[in-house]
Amino acid sequence: MRSPQNVVVLTGSGVSAESGVATFRDQDGVWAKYDYREVATPQGFAANPELVHAFYNDRRRALPGVRPNAAHEALASLERKLAEQGGRLTLVTQNVDDLHERAGSENILHMHGELKKSICAHCGDVRVCDDDLATTLRCTVCGRTGGMRPYVVWFGEIPRFMDEAMDAILSADLFVSIGTSGSVYPAAGFAGEARLAGVPAMELNLEPSENAHVFSDSRYGPATQVVPAWVEEVSAKG
Ligand code: APR
């Protein structure tokens, strides 16, 4: 069988786990230590912006200390290979880290935003942000203070790039979900949408996710092993 030419990959925090970035719902995950309502909702930000800034500032500061792993690198190499063959890999990620970019992936949709960007809640200006955010910062575009927030999609907010992600999935030859528990929608619904459109859907995860039954194929194990092995398999067919 010929290898797929148009692939959509959805990644979650499991792809970055072996780089040292915490997942959310595993035993030692982020939501075992923090109440998501306090740090990842618009209501939490309104109630205690200092706490929310501290939470995301810590995560942004940790990025230079972590490196892309073999799974990020394999996905970047598959993107290059498909492009050489006239195909396309669209990487839809729920992750706010920058490890896919640093591994060399280019066609990335950050549906839950990016740690290394800020957005002004007053005027919507989005810009690269390498430093800490604080309530005292002034927006350089509209001049107002108090509105600077992480460019991260919180619970209750609408994920970004949904039209682009759905268009890519519905016209793909293969949808692959990697390192996500399948518990947060709309991302958790992508595999079902793919299957309804006749697109095969594969899961690569440490263990079966909550919607494992939706997938037509699966490989279980650490991302640094199963992702490079799958990429090699696909590349050998091409
Ligand atoms: N390799 C592969 N998969 C792994 C690994 C690993 N080394 N370690 C953990 N996993 C898997 C877990 O088995 C789990 O299924 O990664 C998944 C992580 O699931 P979650 O912690 O729920 O993270 P995620 O799916 O990315 O969460 C989605 O929830 O809170 C929000 O906005 C946050 O983007 C996040 C969204």
Side-chain angles (χ1 to χ4, degrees):
M1 201 178 78
R2 208 165 164 264
S3 69
Q5 291 299 297
N6 253 312
V7 178
V8 176
V9 172
L10 169 71
T11 60
S13 56
V15 79
S16 297
E18 290 160 87
S19 292
V21 180
T23 59
F24 291 93
R25 293 170 189 78
D26 291 314
Q27 211 177 357
D28 291 331
V30 176
W31 300 147
K33 297 180 183 127
Y34 295 89
D35 183 338
Y36 78 89
R37 290 164 297 193
E38 290 180 359
V39 295
T41 63
Q43 295 80 2
F45 187 57
N48 192 347
E50 288 83 6
L51 176 76
V52 176
H53 281 314
F55 176 80
Y56 289 101
N57 288 342
D58 280 352
R59 272 153 187 75
R60 191 178 306 105
R61 282 185 205 160
L63 287 181
V66 296
R67 296 272 167 275
N69 64 46
H72 299 104
E73 282 158 10
L75 291 173
S77 86
L78 183 60
E79 180 180 331
R80 286 190 293 272
K81 183 172 167 42
L82 290 179
E84 279 164 17
Q85 295 171 346
R88 187 172 177 83
L89 187 148
T90 305
L91 184 51
V92 184
T93 187
Q94 298 169 88
N95 299 344
V96 295
D97 66 47
D98 60 351
L99 294 179
H100 284 306
E101 284 88 344
R102 282 160 59 194
S105 289
E106 289 182 1
N107 190 22
I108 310 175
L109 300 174
H110 273 280
M111 62 181 289
H112 290 170
E114 294 173 65
L115 265 179
K116 291 188 71 170
K117 287 184 180 166
S118 63
I119 181 167
C120 172
H122 298 307
C123 72
D125 179 60
V126 175
R127 61 187 51 226
V128 171
C129 166
D130 289 319
D131 301 319
D132 285 358
L133 288 173
T135 53
T136 49
L137 287 180
R138 184 182 296 278
C139 172
T140 53
V141 174
C142 72
R144 295 173 71 184
T145 50
M148 299 304 289
R149 55 165 277 187
Y151 181 68
V152 165
V153 175
W154 288 325
F155 289 95
E157 296 184 322
I158 298 169
R160 303 183 192 280
F161 307 115
M162 284 302 92
D163 289 348
E164 291 88 338
M166 279 315 300
D167 286 352
I169 290 166
L170 298 181
S171 61
D173 305 322
L174 177 65
F175 171 78
V176 186
S177 173
I178 302 176
T180 177
S181 60
S183 44
V184 175
Y185 284 81
F190 287 168
E193 294 292 339
R195 295 302 303 278
L196 279 175
V199 178
M202 178 185 232
E203 163 158 275
L204 306 178
N205 206 42
L206 192 58
E207 58 198 7
S209 67
E210 284 186 26
N211 52 1
H213 60 281
V214 177
F215 294 91
S216 39
D217 196 0
S218 54
R219 312 281 157 83
Y220 296 116
T224 57
Q225 291 174 26
V226 292
V227 178
W230 168 70
V231 166
E232 204 168 302
E233 204 181 300
V234 171
S235 303
K237 280 186 196 161

